[in-house]
Amino acid sequence: MRETSRQALLLGDSTLAGTAALSLPRHPWQFRRTSCLVEAERILSISPPPLGVILLEGFHAAPPRQLERVLNLVPDLLWIALVFPASLQDERKVRFIARHCHACLSLPLHPDQAHHVLESTLTMASLLNRSASALAQPVLSREKVTLVGSSPAIRRLLADIEKIAAVDAPVLITGESGTGKELTARLIHERSSRQAGPFNAINCGALPAGLIQSELFGHEKGAFTGADRRKVGIIESTAGGTLFLDEIGDLPLELQVNLLRFLEDHRFLRLGAQRESEVDVRVLAATHVDLEGAVREGRFREDLYHRLNVLQARTPPLRERPEDIEELAAHFFQQFRGEAACRVRGFSHESLATMRQHAWPGNVRELINRVRRAMVMREGRLITPEAHGLERSNGQRSATARPARDPAGRPGTASRRGAVQCPVPGGVWRGADAARSTD
Protein backbone atom coordinates (compact mmCIF):
# COMPACT_ATOMS: atom_id res chain seq x y z
CA MET A 1 0.00 0.00 0.00
CA ARG A 2 1.31 3.47 -0.89
CA GLU A 3 2.19 5.77 1.95
CA THR A 4 -0.37 8.57 2.07
CA SER A 5 2.13 11.41 2.63
CA ARG A 6 1.28 14.99 1.70
CA GLN A 7 2.59 14.70 -1.82
CA ALA A 8 0.73 15.37 -5.03
CA LEU A 9 1.33 15.38 -8.75
CA LEU A 10 0.54 18.81 -10.18
CA LEU A 11 -0.34 18.42 -13.85
CA GLY A 12 -0.80 21.39 -16.14
CA ASP A 13 0.63 24.59 -17.57
CA SER A 14 4.02 25.22 -15.92
CA THR A 15 3.29 28.89 -15.16
CA LEU A 16 -0.10 28.18 -13.63
CA ALA A 17 1.22 25.12 -11.80
CA GLY A 18 3.90 27.19 -10.11
CA THR A 19 1.32 29.76 -9.03
CA ALA A 20 -0.95 27.04 -7.59
CA ALA A 21 1.88 25.46 -5.62
CA LEU A 22 3.00 28.81 -4.23
CA SER A 23 -0.54 29.51 -3.06
CA LEU A 24 -0.06 27.09 -0.14
CA PRO A 25 3.16 28.33 1.50
CA ARG A 26 1.93 27.73 5.05
CA HIS A 27 0.86 24.14 4.47
CA PRO A 28 3.13 21.05 4.29
CA TRP A 29 2.33 19.98 0.73
CA GLN A 30 4.96 18.89 -1.78
CA PHE A 31 4.00 19.14 -5.44
CA ARG A 32 5.78 17.39 -8.26
CA ARG A 33 5.03 19.51 -11.31
CA THR A 34 4.82 18.56 -14.98
CA SER A 35 2.95 19.80 -18.01
CA CYS A 36 3.79 16.74 -20.11
CA LEU A 37 1.29 13.88 -20.24
CA VAL A 38 4.01 11.38 -21.18
CA GLU A 39 6.09 12.45 -18.18
CA ALA A 40 3.00 12.26 -15.94
CA GLU A 41 2.30 8.74 -17.16
CA ARG A 42 5.89 7.74 -16.37
CA ILE A 43 5.68 9.19 -12.85
CA LEU A 44 2.38 7.46 -12.14
CA SER A 45 3.69 4.14 -13.45
CA ILE A 46 6.85 4.19 -11.34
CA SER A 47 5.95 5.93 -8.07
CA PRO A 48 2.42 7.32 -7.91
CA PRO A 49 1.60 9.88 -5.20
CA PRO A 50 -1.67 9.58 -3.29
CA LEU A 51 -3.19 12.65 -4.99
CA GLY A 52 -3.24 14.35 -8.35
CA VAL A 53 -4.07 17.99 -9.11
CA ILE A 54 -4.86 18.98 -12.70
CA LEU A 55 -5.09 22.48 -14.16
CA LEU A 56 -7.58 21.97 -16.96
CA GLU A 57 -6.76 25.32 -18.55
CA GLY A 58 -3.55 23.90 -19.99
CA PHE A 59 -5.12 20.97 -21.85
CA HIS A 60 -7.36 22.54 -24.48
CA ALA A 61 -5.53 20.78 -27.31
CA ALA A 62 -4.62 17.55 -25.50
CA PRO A 63 -6.08 14.35 -26.99
CA PRO A 64 -9.00 13.44 -24.67
CA ARG A 65 -8.17 9.73 -24.66
CA GLN A 66 -4.54 10.35 -23.68
CA LEU A 67 -5.62 12.64 -20.85
CA GLU A 68 -8.23 10.13 -19.66
CA ARG A 69 -5.64 7.35 -19.73
CA VAL A 70 -3.35 9.36 -17.46
CA LEU A 71 -6.14 10.20 -15.01
CA ASN A 72 -7.26 6.57 -14.80
CA LEU A 73 -3.82 4.95 -14.73
CA VAL A 74 -3.88 4.46 -10.94
CA PRO A 75 -7.39 3.34 -9.86
CA ASP A 76 -7.22 4.58 -6.25
CA LEU A 77 -5.47 7.89 -7.01
CA LEU A 78 -7.92 10.79 -6.63
CA TRP A 79 -7.74 13.93 -8.76
CA ILE A 80 -8.66 17.52 -7.88
CA ALA A 81 -9.44 19.89 -10.74
CA LEU A 82 -8.31 23.52 -10.70
CA VAL A 83 -10.35 25.81 -12.97
CA PHE A 84 -11.26 29.45 -13.40
CA PRO A 85 -14.94 30.05 -12.57
CA ALA A 86 -15.68 31.08 -16.16
CA SER A 87 -14.54 27.66 -17.37
CA LEU A 88 -17.50 26.03 -15.63
CA GLN A 89 -19.74 27.50 -18.30
CA ASP A 90 -18.17 24.97 -20.67
CA GLU A 91 -20.34 21.86 -20.49
CA ARG A 92 -17.52 19.66 -21.80
CA LYS A 93 -15.30 20.64 -18.88
CA VAL A 94 -18.16 20.14 -16.45
CA ARG A 95 -18.70 16.60 -17.78
CA PHE A 96 -14.98 15.87 -17.67
CA ILE A 97 -14.71 17.00 -14.03
CA ALA A 98 -17.78 14.99 -13.03
CA ARG A 99 -16.39 11.82 -14.61
CA HIS A 100 -12.76 11.97 -13.56
CA CYS A 101 -12.26 14.17 -10.50
CA HIS A 102 -13.00 13.80 -6.81
CA ALA A 103 -13.22 17.55 -6.16
CA CYS A 104 -12.94 20.91 -7.88
CA LEU A 105 -11.25 24.13 -6.71
CA SER A 106 -11.64 27.48 -8.40
CA LEU A 107 -8.74 29.82 -9.10
CA PRO A 108 -7.30 31.82 -7.51
CA LEU A 109 -6.94 29.45 -4.58
CA HIS A 110 -8.00 30.24 -1.06
CA PRO A 111 -5.09 28.60 0.87
CA ASP A 112 -6.97 27.34 3.92
CA GLN A 113 -9.88 26.03 1.89
CA ALA A 114 -7.56 24.37 -0.63
CA HIS A 115 -5.64 22.75 2.22
CA HIS A 116 -8.89 21.42 3.70
CA VAL A 117 -9.93 19.89 0.36
CA LEU A 118 -6.48 18.37 -0.15
CA GLU A 119 -6.56 16.86 3.36
CA SER A 120 -10.03 15.36 2.96
CA THR A 121 -9.12 13.96 -0.46
CA LEU A 122 -5.93 12.48 1.00
CA THR A 123 -8.01 10.73 3.68
CA MET A 124 -10.36 9.30 1.05
CA ALA A 125 -7.38 8.15 -1.05
CA SER A 126 -6.01 6.33 1.98
CA LEU A 127 -9.33 4.57 2.57
CA LEU A 128 -9.58 3.55 -1.09
CA ASN A 129 -6.05 2.22 -1.05
CA ARG A 130 -6.63 0.22 2.14
CA SER A 131 -9.83 -1.23 0.71
CA ALA A 132 -8.14 -2.19 -2.57
CA SER A 133 -5.28 -3.84 -0.66
CA ALA A 134 -7.74 -5.87 1.42
CA LEU A 135 -9.55 -7.04 -1.71
CA ALA A 136 -6.24 -8.07 -3.27
CA GLN A 137 -5.18 -10.25 -0.32
CA PRO A 138 -4.91 -13.88 -1.42
CA VAL A 139 -7.38 -16.25 0.19
CA LEU A 140 -5.63 -19.36 1.43
CA SER A 141 -7.75 -22.35 0.43
CA ARG A 142 -7.41 -25.70 -1.20
CA GLU A 143 -9.34 -24.83 -4.31
CA LYS A 144 -8.28 -22.59 -7.16
CA VAL A 145 -11.88 -21.55 -7.84
CA THR A 146 -14.85 -20.89 -5.63
CA LEU A 147 -18.54 -20.06 -5.68
CA VAL A 148 -19.46 -16.47 -4.79
CA GLY A 149 -22.21 -16.08 -2.22
CA SER A 150 -23.17 -16.93 1.33
CA SER A 151 -26.87 -17.78 0.96
CA PRO A 152 -28.29 -21.02 2.41
CA ALA A 153 -28.61 -22.40 -1.14
CA ILE A 154 -24.91 -21.86 -1.85
CA ARG A 155 -23.88 -23.20 1.55
CA ARG A 156 -25.86 -26.38 0.84
CA LEU A 157 -24.19 -26.74 -2.56
CA LEU A 158 -20.72 -26.25 -1.06
CA ALA A 159 -21.48 -28.86 1.61
CA ASP A 160 -22.58 -31.29 -1.12
CA ILE A 161 -19.40 -30.57 -3.08
CA GLU A 162 -17.26 -31.44 -0.05
CA LYS A 163 -19.02 -34.80 0.33
CA ILE A 164 -18.96 -35.58 -3.39
CA ALA A 165 -15.27 -34.70 -3.76
CA ALA A 166 -14.32 -37.23 -1.08
CA VAL A 167 -15.39 -40.21 -3.22
CA ASP A 168 -14.60 -41.23 -6.78
CA ALA A 169 -18.05 -42.09 -8.16
CA PRO A 170 -19.77 -40.53 -11.21
CA VAL A 171 -21.73 -37.31 -10.56
CA LEU A 172 -24.73 -35.76 -12.30
CA ILE A 173 -24.91 -31.97 -11.91
CA THR A 174 -28.34 -30.52 -12.62
CA GLY A 175 -29.48 -26.94 -12.87
CA GLU A 176 -30.72 -24.24 -15.22
CA SER A 177 -28.46 -22.69 -17.83
CA GLY A 178 -26.13 -20.05 -16.41
CA THR A 179 -26.14 -21.33 -12.81
CA GLY A 180 -22.51 -22.48 -12.72
CA LYS A 181 -22.56 -26.20 -13.46
CA GLU A 182 -19.05 -26.23 -14.94
CA LEU A 183 -17.75 -24.17 -12.00
CA THR A 184 -19.29 -26.73 -9.65
CA ALA A 185 -17.56 -29.52 -11.58
CA ARG A 186 -14.23 -27.69 -11.31
CA LEU A 187 -14.71 -27.29 -7.56
CA ILE A 188 -15.37 -31.01 -7.19
CA HIS A 189 -12.17 -31.72 -9.12
CA GLU A 190 -10.07 -29.18 -7.17
CA ARG A 191 -11.21 -30.63 -3.83
CA SER A 192 -10.79 -34.26 -4.84
CA SER A 193 -7.81 -36.60 -4.77
CA ARG A 194 -7.52 -36.03 -8.53
CA GLN A 195 -6.75 -32.32 -8.20
CA ALA A 196 -3.20 -32.82 -9.54
CA GLY A 197 -4.57 -34.43 -12.71
CA PRO A 198 -6.17 -32.73 -15.73
CA PHE A 199 -9.68 -31.33 -15.82
CA ASN A 200 -11.18 -31.49 -19.31
CA ALA A 201 -14.64 -30.33 -20.35
CA ILE A 202 -16.61 -31.04 -23.50
CA ASN A 203 -20.04 -29.79 -24.50
CA CYS A 204 -21.94 -32.72 -25.97
CA GLY A 205 -24.42 -30.39 -27.64
CA ALA A 206 -21.82 -28.22 -29.38
CA LEU A 207 -20.26 -30.90 -31.63
CA PRO A 208 -21.76 -32.46 -34.75
CA ALA A 209 -22.95 -36.02 -34.14
CA GLY A 210 -20.35 -37.38 -36.57
CA LEU A 211 -17.46 -35.90 -34.57
CA ILE A 212 -18.48 -36.69 -31.00
CA GLN A 213 -17.23 -40.29 -31.03
CA SER A 214 -13.85 -39.25 -32.43
CA GLU A 215 -13.57 -36.38 -29.91
CA LEU A 216 -14.47 -38.60 -26.95
CA PHE A 217 -12.71 -41.85 -27.81
CA GLY A 218 -10.17 -40.86 -30.47
CA HIS A 219 -9.40 -42.68 -33.71
CA GLU A 220 -6.66 -44.61 -35.45
CA LYS A 221 -4.88 -43.51 -38.59
CA GLY A 222 -7.00 -44.41 -41.63
CA ALA A 223 -10.16 -44.95 -39.58
CA PHE A 224 -12.05 -42.74 -42.01
CA THR A 225 -11.39 -40.42 -44.92
CA GLY A 226 -9.10 -37.63 -43.76
CA ALA A 227 -7.80 -39.49 -40.69
CA ASP A 228 -4.16 -39.17 -41.71
CA ARG A 229 -2.82 -39.74 -38.20
CA ARG A 230 -3.83 -41.24 -34.89
CA LYS A 231 -5.87 -39.00 -32.57
CA VAL A 232 -6.04 -39.33 -28.80
CA GLY A 233 -9.59 -38.65 -27.58
CA ILE A 234 -10.50 -36.40 -24.68
CA ILE A 235 -11.23 -39.40 -22.43
CA GLU A 236 -7.74 -40.80 -22.89
CA SER A 237 -6.10 -37.38 -22.49
CA THR A 238 -7.86 -36.99 -19.12
CA ALA A 239 -6.09 -40.00 -17.58
CA GLY A 240 -5.70 -39.53 -13.84
CA GLY A 241 -8.07 -36.56 -13.82
CA THR A 242 -11.69 -35.52 -14.23
CA LEU A 243 -13.80 -35.42 -17.40
CA PHE A 244 -16.78 -33.06 -17.44
CA LEU A 245 -19.48 -33.88 -19.99
CA ASP A 246 -21.71 -30.82 -20.29
CA GLU A 247 -25.21 -31.09 -21.78
CA ILE A 248 -25.10 -34.88 -21.55
CA GLY A 249 -28.76 -34.97 -22.56
CA ASP A 250 -27.74 -34.01 -26.10
CA LEU A 251 -25.50 -37.08 -26.54
CA PRO A 252 -26.81 -39.23 -29.45
CA LEU A 253 -28.33 -42.58 -28.47
CA GLU A 254 -25.73 -44.58 -30.40
CA LEU A 255 -22.90 -42.98 -28.40
CA GLN A 256 -24.73 -43.40 -25.11
CA VAL A 257 -24.02 -47.16 -25.41
CA ASN A 258 -20.27 -46.53 -25.74
CA LEU A 259 -20.25 -44.15 -22.78
CA LEU A 260 -22.19 -46.66 -20.65
CA ARG A 261 -19.67 -49.36 -21.44
CA PHE A 262 -16.79 -47.05 -20.49
CA LEU A 263 -18.43 -46.12 -17.17
CA GLU A 264 -18.82 -49.80 -16.32
CA ASP A 265 -15.19 -50.90 -16.75
CA HIS A 266 -13.21 -47.79 -17.84
CA ARG A 267 -12.38 -49.44 -21.14
CA PHE A 268 -12.97 -47.88 -24.56
CA LEU A 269 -12.31 -48.56 -28.23
CA ARG A 270 -10.79 -45.94 -30.48
CA LEU A 271 -12.52 -45.54 -33.81
CA GLY A 272 -10.80 -47.96 -36.19
CA ALA A 273 -8.89 -49.79 -33.43
CA GLN A 274 -8.82 -53.57 -32.97
CA ARG A 275 -8.19 -53.67 -29.21
CA GLU A 276 -9.70 -51.83 -26.30
CA SER A 277 -7.72 -49.44 -24.11
CA GLU A 278 -8.13 -48.77 -20.40
CA VAL A 279 -7.92 -45.40 -18.66
CA ASP A 280 -8.52 -44.10 -15.13
CA VAL A 281 -10.90 -41.14 -15.39
CA ARG A 282 -13.66 -39.77 -13.18
CA VAL A 283 -16.73 -38.64 -15.12
CA LEU A 284 -18.91 -35.70 -14.11
CA ALA A 285 -21.93 -34.93 -16.28
CA ALA A 286 -24.29 -31.95 -16.36
CA THR A 287 -27.61 -31.14 -17.94
CA HIS A 288 -30.26 -28.46 -17.81
CA VAL A 289 -32.99 -30.78 -19.17
CA ASP A 290 -35.14 -33.30 -17.32
CA LEU A 291 -33.28 -36.57 -17.91
CA GLU A 292 -36.02 -38.61 -16.25
CA GLY A 293 -38.45 -37.18 -18.78
CA ALA A 294 -35.98 -37.90 -21.58
CA VAL A 295 -35.80 -41.52 -20.36
CA ARG A 296 -39.58 -41.84 -20.45
CA GLU A 297 -39.64 -40.41 -23.97
CA GLY A 298 -36.90 -42.79 -25.13
CA ARG A 299 -34.36 -40.02 -25.84
CA PHE A 300 -31.96 -41.10 -23.10
CA ARG A 301 -30.98 -44.58 -21.95
CA GLU A 302 -32.29 -45.48 -18.50
CA ASP A 303 -29.24 -47.59 -17.66
CA LEU A 304 -26.89 -44.70 -18.53
CA TYR A 305 -28.99 -42.32 -16.46
CA HIS A 306 -28.68 -44.52 -13.37
CA ARG A 307 -24.96 -45.05 -14.01
CA LEU A 308 -24.36 -41.28 -14.14
CA ASN A 309 -26.73 -40.41 -11.31
CA VAL A 310 -24.77 -42.18 -8.56
CA LEU A 311 -24.22 -38.80 -6.87
CA GLN A 312 -26.09 -35.60 -7.67
CA ALA A 313 -25.45 -31.90 -7.16
CA ARG A 314 -27.97 -29.18 -8.00
CA THR A 315 -26.90 -25.64 -8.82
CA PRO A 316 -29.61 -23.23 -7.59
CA PRO A 317 -31.02 -20.54 -9.92
CA LEU A 318 -30.26 -16.96 -8.97
CA ARG A 319 -33.89 -16.26 -8.03
CA GLU A 320 -33.49 -18.76 -5.16
CA ARG A 321 -30.49 -16.87 -3.75
CA PRO A 322 -31.38 -13.14 -4.03
CA GLU A 323 -29.22 -12.33 -1.02
CA ASP A 324 -26.16 -13.20 -3.15
CA ILE A 325 -26.93 -10.73 -5.94
CA GLU A 326 -25.11 -7.77 -4.41
CA GLU A 327 -22.04 -9.86 -3.59
CA LEU A 328 -21.99 -11.35 -7.09
CA ALA A 329 -22.35 -7.92 -8.69
CA ALA A 330 -19.45 -6.58 -6.60
CA HIS A 331 -17.31 -9.60 -7.51
CA PHE A 332 -17.79 -9.17 -11.25
CA PHE A 333 -17.46 -5.38 -10.91
CA GLN A 334 -13.95 -5.91 -9.56
CA GLN A 335 -13.21 -8.52 -12.22
CA PHE A 336 -14.11 -6.19 -15.11
CA ARG A 337 -13.07 -2.89 -13.54
CA GLY A 338 -10.02 -2.59 -15.78
CA GLU A 339 -12.24 -2.52 -18.88
CA ALA A 340 -14.04 0.67 -17.87
CA ALA A 341 -12.85 3.86 -19.55
CA CYS A 342 -13.36 5.83 -16.35
CA ARG A 343 -13.14 4.98 -12.70
CA VAL A 344 -16.62 3.66 -11.98
CA ARG A 345 -17.18 3.86 -8.24
CA GLY A 346 -19.93 1.26 -7.79
CA PHE A 347 -23.71 0.77 -7.95
CA SER A 348 -26.40 3.27 -7.04
CA HIS A 349 -29.20 2.51 -4.56
CA GLU A 350 -31.67 2.17 -7.43
CA SER A 351 -29.37 -0.16 -9.35
CA LEU A 352 -29.01 -2.60 -6.45
CA ALA A 353 -32.75 -2.46 -5.74
CA THR A 354 -33.70 -3.29 -9.32
CA MET A 355 -31.16 -6.12 -9.42
CA ARG A 356 -32.75 -7.61 -6.31
CA GLN A 357 -36.21 -7.35 -7.95
CA HIS A 358 -35.21 -8.84 -11.32
CA ALA A 359 -36.13 -12.50 -11.96
CA TRP A 360 -32.79 -13.31 -13.68
CA PRO A 361 -33.99 -15.90 -16.20
CA GLY A 362 -30.41 -16.15 -17.46
CA ASN A 363 -29.09 -16.58 -13.90
CA VAL A 364 -25.47 -15.69 -13.08
CA ARG A 365 -24.50 -15.59 -16.76
CA GLU A 366 -27.08 -12.85 -17.32
CA LEU A 367 -25.87 -10.95 -14.27
CA ILE A 368 -22.28 -11.06 -15.56
CA ASN A 369 -23.34 -9.70 -18.94
CA ARG A 370 -25.46 -6.92 -17.43
CA VAL A 371 -22.73 -5.80 -15.02
CA ARG A 372 -20.14 -5.79 -17.78
CA ARG A 373 -22.48 -3.85 -20.09
CA ALA A 374 -23.36 -1.34 -17.36
CA MET A 375 -19.71 -0.57 -16.64
CA VAL A 376 -19.31 0.49 -20.27
CA MET A 377 -22.67 2.20 -20.83
CA ARG A 378 -23.08 4.10 -17.52
CA GLU A 379 -22.91 7.90 -17.70
CA GLY A 380 -21.97 8.77 -14.12
CA ARG A 381 -19.60 7.53 -11.44
CA LEU A 382 -22.24 5.10 -10.13
CA ILE A 383 -24.06 2.47 -12.19
CA THR A 384 -27.78 3.18 -12.59
CA PRO A 385 -30.63 0.83 -13.60
CA GLU A 386 -30.64 2.37 -17.09
CA ALA A 387 -27.02 1.33 -17.63
CA HIS A 388 -27.71 -2.37 -17.14
CA GLY A 389 -31.10 -2.26 -18.86
CA LEU A 390 -33.35 -3.10 -15.90
CA GLU A 391 -36.54 -1.37 -14.82
CA ARG A 392 -37.98 -1.15 -11.32
CA SER A 393 -41.06 -3.38 -10.85
CA ASN A 394 -44.25 -1.29 -10.88
CA GLY A 395 -42.12 1.79 -10.31
CA GLN A 396 -41.91 1.01 -6.58
CA ARG A 397 -38.87 0.88 -4.36
CA SER A 398 -37.96 -2.61 -3.23
CA ALA A 399 -39.01 -3.34 0.33
CA THR A 400 -35.71 -5.12 0.83
CA ALA A 401 -33.56 -2.34 -0.59
CA ARG A 402 -30.61 -1.52 1.61
CA PRO A 403 -28.22 1.44 1.42
CA ALA A 404 -26.02 0.98 -1.61
CA ARG A 405 -22.47 -0.09 -1.05
CA ASP A 406 -19.68 0.06 -3.54
CA PRO A 407 -17.67 -3.11 -4.34
CA ALA A 408 -15.08 -2.29 -1.68
CA GLY A 409 -17.74 -2.38 1.03
CA ARG A 410 -18.07 1.38 1.63
CA PRO A 411 -21.53 2.95 1.90
CA GLY A 412 -22.57 4.26 -1.51
CA THR A 413 -23.50 7.82 -2.36
CA ALA A 414 -27.03 8.48 -3.51
CA SER A 415 -27.44 9.93 -6.95
CA ARG A 416 -27.40 13.72 -6.80
CA ARG A 417 -28.71 15.59 -9.79
CA GLY A 418 -28.47 19.23 -10.79
CA ALA A 419 -25.95 21.60 -12.27
CA VAL A 420 -22.32 21.32 -11.27
CA GLN A 421 -21.39 24.68 -9.82
CA CYS A 422 -18.20 26.14 -8.45
CA PRO A 423 -19.10 29.42 -6.77
CA VAL A 424 -17.07 32.59 -6.29
CA PRO A 425 -13.24 32.53 -6.55
CA GLY A 426 -11.92 30.41 -3.75
CA GLY A 427 -15.03 28.21 -3.82
CA VAL A 428 -15.01 24.42 -3.89
CA TRP A 429 -17.17 21.81 -5.53
CA ARG A 430 -17.21 18.17 -4.44
CA GLY A 431 -19.36 15.29 -5.47
CA ALA A 432 -17.75 13.49 -8.37
CA ASP A 433 -18.66 10.35 -6.40
CA ALA A 434 -22.33 10.92 -7.22
CA ALA A 435 -23.87 9.40 -10.28
CA ARG A 436 -24.56 12.20 -12.72
CA SER A 437 -26.01 11.82 -16.18
CA THR A 438 -23.83 14.52 -17.70
CA ASP A 439 -22.45 12.77 -20.76
Side-chain angles (χ1 to χ4, degrees):
M1 185 174 72
R2 296 195 315 272
E3 180 185 358
T4 52
S5 57
R6 289 176 175 80
Q7 298 179 0
L9 175 64
L10 190 53
L11 178 60
D13 180 85
S14 57
T15 304
L16 286 174
T19 302
L22 292 175
S23 297
L24 301 173
R26 296 185 292 105
H27 300 287
W29 286 93
Q30 298 178 7
F31 294 94
R32 185 168 183 177
R33 294 174 289 185
T34 181
S35 58
C36 175
L37 291 178
V38 175
E39 173 67 10
E41 192 167 345
R42 187 189 66 82
I43 293 171
L44 293 174
S45 299
I46 297 174
S47 180
L51 299 183
V53 179
I54 179 170
L55 292 115
L56 292 180
E57 312 303 329
F59 291 102
H60 299 291
R65 290 188 178 181
Q66 184 180 2
L67 186 56
E68 287 184 356
R69 185 175 70 249
V70 170
L71 296 187
N72 291 293
L73 190 62
V74 183
D76 56 328
L77 186 151
L78 299 181
W79 288 89
I80 299 172
L82 301 185
V83 294
F84 289 108
S87 296
L88 293 176
Q89 303 305 313
D90 186 339
E91 287 300 319
R92 290 177 300 175
K93 287 187 178 179
V94 169
R95 289 196 297 267
F96 186 89
I97 293 169
R99 293 183 66 179
H100 297 285
C101 298
H102 178 74
C104 174
L105 285 165
S106 63
L107 295 171
L109 292 178
H110 185 289
D112 291 337
Q113 193 171 44
H115 173 67
H116 172 74
V117 172
L118 286 165
E119 286 287 343
S120 63
T121 306
L122 179 67
T123 300
M124 179 59 69
S126 175
L127 293 175
L128 287 171
N129 191 241
R130 284 173 54 190
S131 177
S133 298
L135 287 171
Q137 290 297 319
V139 178
L140 299 178
S141 59
R142 289 181 296 159
E143 68 275 6
K144 298 177 183 177
V145 293
T146 190
L147 292 168
V148 177
S150 54
S151 63
I154 284 297
R155 289 199 298 268
R156 285 193 298 270
L157 177 57
L158 287 171
D160 289 343
I161 288 172
E162 288 287 353
K163 298 172 185 175
I164 291 170
V167 297
D168 210 33
V171 182
L172 181 62
I173 303 171
T174 61
E176 298 176 10
S177 294
T179 53
K181 293 187 290 294
E182 183 172 345
L183 180 59
T184 298
R186 287 185 180 275
L187 269 171
I188 293 172
H189 171 73
E190 293 292 342
R191 298 187 178 198
S192 73
S193 60
R194 295 178 177 269
Q195 59 183 278
F199 176 90
N200 288 324
I202 187 169
N203 189 322
C204 299
L207 291 173
L211 294 179
I212 293 179
Q213 183 170 2
S214 176
E215 289 296 319
L216 284 176
F217 302 106
H219 63 254
E220 297 289 345
K221 180 178 179 180
F224 51 85
T225 303
D228 54 354
R229 55 191 174 89
R230 180 183 180 187
K231 174 183 173 62
V232 174
I234 193 170
I235 287 178
E236 190 173 358
S237 66
T238 314
T242 304
L243 175 64
F244 175 58
L245 300 176
D246 199 7
E247 301 303 345
I248 190 68
D250 295 331
L251 192 67
L253 277 170
E254 60 270 20
L255 289 181
Q256 292 178 23
V257 178
N258 296 341
L259 181 59
L260 175 64
R261 185 179 298 116
F262 171 73
L263 290 173
E264 288 175 344
D265 57 15
H266 289 272
R267 301 183 69 84
F268 68 97
L269 186 68
R270 294 191 201 93
L271 194 64
Q274 301 299 316
R275 292 187 300 178
E276 289 185 329
S277 301
E278 186 174 356
V279 65
D280 177 27
V281 170
R282 184 183 191 183
V283 175
L284 311 179
T287 181
H288 73 281
V289 302
D290 178 13
L291 283 187
E292 291 185 351
V295 169
R296 289 193 298 269
E297 296 169 4
R299 294 183 290 109
F300 201 83
R301 293 181 61 98
E302 184 175 9
D303 47 4
L304 178 58
Y305 170 72
H306 291 300
R307 177 64 68 175
L308 289 171
N309 197 27
V310 176
L311 300 171
Q312 187 176 117
R314 176 183 176 270
T315 55
L318 194 51
R319 63 181 175 274
E320 292 182 6
R321 42 186 292 224
E323 55 269 64
D324 290 334
I325 289 174
E326 189 170 335
E327 187 176 350
L328 284 162
H331 173 80
F332 295 116
F333 178 95
Q334 291 295 336
Q335 182 173 329
F336 300 122
R337 197 172 189 180
E339 296 180 0
C342 301
R343 291 174 304 199
V344 191
R345 190 58 60 83
F347 299 90
S348 68
H349 294 279
E350 293 80 5
S351 176
L352 291 175
T354 52
M355 283 194 287
R356 286 190 288 268
Q357 290 176 339
H358 187 54
W360 298 107
N363 294 296
V364 178
R365 185 180 293 123
E366 179 188 353
L367 186 145
I368 293 172
N369 292 340
R370 288 190 181 274
V371 168
R372 198 171 188 178
R373 173 187 182 274
M375 293 180 70
V376 175
M377 302 304 292
R378 94 282 165 278
E379 295 184 345
R381 297 297 294 275
L382 296 180
I383 292 172
T384 61
E386 293 78 11
H388 48 54
L390 297 178
E391 296 181 359
R392 186 179 301 283
S393 301
N394 300 321
Q396 300 295 320
R397 178 173 294 274
S398 169
T400 60
R402 301 185 300 275
R405 303 183 70 85
D406 73 8
R410 300 179 304 275
T413 305
S415 177
R416 297 194 295 269
R417 301 184 183 276
V420 176
Q421 295 183 349
C422 187
V424 295
V428 58
W429 168 78
R430 279 195 293 275
D433 298 343
R436 303 187 67 257
S437 299
T438 54
D439 286 353

